[in-house]
Amino acid sequence: MSSEKSSPKQASALTRAKNSPPTDRLFDPQDLERVRRGFIAARTEPTITDERDRKVVDTAAYEFLRDGRECPETVNPHLWRHATLNAHHGLFEVAPNVWQVRGYDISNITFIRGATGWVVIDPLTADSTAQASLELLSQHVERRPVTAVIRSADGAKLPSVGIYLNAS
């Protein structure tokens, strides 16, 4: 097997036809501005690893979605648009005393400043991404203890609440 990277295949006529720009629904040019609203900071290291040093997420792998390139003919434009909006990652202030960390897991984690510490809503799917999110918040907003964790959905693998107990 060759170690050289192969160039992408060209879209077939059928794929080009199916992926032609939609005429029934235009994309809102303000979407990108809304996605960036409230941005405070991103992690300086693009990779998050777990306790066994396995890569959990690498935001640099999605740089091609943030560099402004046009949607290729081989990709559905709605999926490309969705992916480019989701590729913006980091810490965002969404309301007074409410912050989100986005783009380091399949979901967002929300932090609310409570009277005595952070209330965490939806603690992500991996301990390492939840910990990295808390560290980003602590670095750029305030280091506080986590006093409550709320899970709005049940999942097969959610981070242990224990990562928050010694996080202050």
Side-chain angles (χ1 to χ4, degrees):
M1 185 155 208
S2 172
S3 63
E4 293 179 34
K5 283 189 172 182
S6 62
S7 59
K9 290 171 126 182
Q10 294 296 315
S12 69
L14 178 61
T15 299
R16 279 193 306 278
K18 293 288 185 182
N19 288 341
S20 63
T23 57
D24 61 333
R25 188 172 80 189
L26 298 177
F27 297 125
D28 185 343
Q30 298 300 311
D31 284 347
L32 194 55
E33 180 183 316
R34 284 189 284 274
V35 163
R36 294 176 177 161
R37 187 179 302 146
F39 177 74
I40 296 171
R43 289 173 37 86
T44 55
E45 173 57 43
T47 304
I48 298 174
T49 57
D50 68 9
E51 68 281 351
R52 296 194 305 200
D53 205 35
R54 296 176 300 187
K55 186 178 358 178
V56 177
V57 71
D58 181 2
T59 58
Y62 301 98
E63 190 58 39
F64 71 97
L65 291 167
R66 293 183 292 272
D67 68 9
R69 71 181 70 178
E70 292 293 318
C71 176
E73 292 180 330
T74 54
V75 179
N76 180 288
H78 292 289
L79 295 177
W80 185 265
R81 178 71 168 178
H82 187 75
T84 59
L85 295 174
N86 281 339
H88 294 276
H89 59 89
L91 174 65
F92 296 80
E93 184 174 14
V94 296
N97 296 311
V98 181
W99 292 265
Q100 279 186 337
V101 176
R102 305 174 190 156
Y104 301 121
D105 205 313
I106 196 165
S107 62
N108 299 327
I109 186 169
T110 303
F111 296 92
I112 299 173
R113 180 183 276 130
T116 59
W118 294 116
V119 176
V120 179
I121 300 175
D122 293 333
L124 303 179
T125 62
D127 291 352
S128 52
T129 55
Q131 185 64 45
S133 297
L134 182 60
E135 289 169 6
L136 186 63
L137 178 76
S138 296
Q139 180 182 7
H140 293 281
V141 177
E142 182 182 2
R143 185 170 301 280
R144 308 180 86 207
V146 171
T147 53
V149 176
I150 300 169
R151 292 181 175 161
S152 67
D154 189 20
K157 169 70 173 105
L158 292 173
S160 76
V161 176
I163 68 161
Y164 300 108
L165 298 179
N166 297 317
S168 58

